[in-house]
Amino acid sequence: MKIDLTKYMYGNEALILFLGWFIISNVFNFTNLVLFAGIFTLLIGIFVFRYFKTSNMKKEYSSDLSYYYFSPQPITSMVDALYMENYKAKDIKKIDFIAYDLEESCNYGQKKISKIITSNKDVEINIIGYGDEKYCINSKNHANNLSYFPINEKKTEHKNLIYMNDGRTFLWYEPYHKIENGKHSFQKGGYFLEPSKKILESIEEDISNLKSQSR
């Protein structure tokens, strides 16, 4: 199986581990050989960890594609994954986006969502989440692009679907995404996949059910 190392090099854990090892090496006056041996070991460890993470997710979602983000950034990481697949905002047809809390999500996401819409006047974005849409973008400039579906439950598992103009559909999956006091918690990272038709239909049904619960 061909493995693209660049797919596994995104995330903050590599930087944190390398900085930690660099500090430890200075404290204990490690030789250059020990320092570089440690860096090499950390690199291999990160690669193996991410490889098994993505492999398990591929099996679960019958997917041929999977990027794993240890510490994703809301919306930004999803767009970044699309970019790695040579897509831009103008290539998106529709996004069904699940949010933990509409107020919190709209506070951090307004600029990012506006940027997508500015680049793609035909995109359709549906945001499902707990709370009140009064905190969200309601500009007349975005009225044809944005729809909100307030629900009565704060969902921590987010399965977001991105439909492309060329017919492909991707899943941006956050197994655990919670927001408290404006701080995002991703305890299980984030995944970008292209699910099988059967699994895609199941996710679409779940999203449709959430929309039907909208107040």
Side-chain angles (χ1 to χ4, degrees):
M1 182 176 68
K2 184 178 178 180
I3 299 172
D4 183 356
L5 287 175
T6 60
K7 294 181 181 180
Y8 300 90
M9 297 311 296
Y10 292 84
N12 296 326
E13 80 277 24
L15 177 61
I16 294 171
L17 288 172
F18 287 156
L19 287 176
W21 178 247
F22 182 78
I23 293 171
I24 291 172
S25 67
N26 279 276
V27 170
F28 292 97
N29 294 317
F30 290 163
T31 64
N32 288 338
L33 178 61
V34 175
L35 172 63
F36 287 112
I39 291 175
F40 180 76
T41 302
L42 288 174
L43 184 62
I44 294 298
I46 291 171
F47 171 76
V48 171
F49 172 76
R50 290 193 171 195
Y51 174 76
F52 282 107
K53 275 279 188 178
T54 53
S55 293
N56 291 336
M57 196 59 62
K58 287 178 182 180
K59 290 178 182 178
E60 182 176 349
Y61 286 94
S62 302
S63 171
D64 294 328
L65 169 71
S66 178
Y67 299 148
Y68 170 67
Y69 290 74
F70 177 80
S71 182
Q73 297 179 358
I75 302 178
T76 301
S77 295
M78 179 188 74
V79 174
D80 176 66
L82 284 171
Y83 178 79
M84 288 195 290
E85 286 300 303
N86 298 315
Y87 288 106
K88 297 180 180 179
K90 65 181 179 65
D91 300 313
I92 302 172
K93 181 179 181 180
K94 183 177 78 168
I95 300 176
D96 282 330
F97 189 81
I98 298 177
Y100 175 73
D101 179 277
L102 284 181
E103 179 179 359
E104 294 278 8
S105 297
C106 290
N107 283 338
Y108 78 71
Q110 286 198 28
K111 290 183 179 179
K112 298 174 183 178
I113 292 171
S114 293
K115 188 175 180 179
I116 293 174
I117 295 173
T118 300
S119 301
N120 184 351
K121 299 296 185 181
D122 297 319
V123 70
E124 175 187 344
I125 301 178
N126 302 307
I127 302 179
I128 306 161
Y130 173 85
D132 196 323
E133 65 181 276
K134 70 180 181 182
Y135 299 101
C136 298
I137 301 173
N138 56 9
S139 169
K140 292 181 180 179
N141 295 330
H142 299 319
N144 295 326
N145 303 99
L146 274 171
S147 297
Y148 296 98
F149 297 85
I151 57 176
N152 294 317
E153 179 185 3
K154 291 185 175 181
K155 306 286 291 185
T156 56
E157 183 183 33
H158 300 163
K159 295 179 180 179
N160 308 307
L161 293 178
I162 309 101
Y163 298 84
M164 311 307 295
N165 288 324
D166 64 4
R168 296 177 75 183
T169 302
F170 298 104
L171 167 67
W172 172 247
Y173 178 47
E174 300 161 350
Y176 182 89
H177 181 184
K178 188 176 182 180
I179 309 171
E180 290 183 328
N181 299 320
K183 295 183 179 180
H184 298 262
S185 174
F186 295 90
Q187 295 181 3
K188 299 180 181 179
Y191 298 83
F192 185 83
L193 311 101
E194 187 173 14
S196 67
K197 182 179 179 181
K198 182 178 180 180
I199 291 176
L200 175 60
E201 290 174 349
S202 176
I203 296 173
E204 288 177 327
E205 183 177 355
D206 290 340
I207 289 176
S208 178
N209 289 334
L210 285 176
K211 287 180 179 179
S212 68
Q213 298 172 22
S214 179
R215 293 177 276 106

